[in-house]
Amino acid sequence: MTTTAVTVLAVGGTGESFPDDDRVEVSGMLAAVTDDLDERFTARWVPYPASYGPSPRLDGESYQSSVCAGVVSLARAVEQA
């Protein structure tokens, strides 16, 4: 029996990603979830600024701008999956 791989797109929370993040491997808190998935699943990290203004950096991108960038990055990842 063959199985079709399901791609799980992991979008981290504030401070878990950063501008110009080029990782594809899931890390941080979400790795605790994706590492336990069986062979039917392939997990991929979705990078975006993950900023909330001054958190995690004092000069951080605004939350609204960060969310918009995250939506664009997730949409690209869905198209590529």
Side-chain angles (χ1 to χ4, degrees):
M1 177 174 147
T2 60
T3 59
T4 303
V6 175
T7 301
V8 175
L9 300 172
V11 182
T14 301
E16 291 191 291
S17 190
F18 47 87
D20 300 322
D21 184 356
D22 61 358
R23 290 176 286 172
V24 292
E25 301 250 344
V26 179
S27 62
M29 291 190 299
L30 290 174
V33 175
T34 60
D35 287 351
D36 285 339
L37 297 173
D38 65 38
E39 67 279 348
R40 295 173 296 165
F41 300 92
T42 301
R44 195 170 87 215
W45 185 253
V46 177
Y48 76 110
S51 180
Y52 194 84
S55 176
R57 296 181 336 268
L58 286 177
D59 64 343
E61 189 171 333
S62 75
Y63 177 74
Q64 183 177 7
S65 177
S66 178
V67 168
C68 287
V71 168
V72 169
S73 186
L74 181 58
R76 274 193 206 118
V78 167
E79 288 173 0
Q80 295 170 357

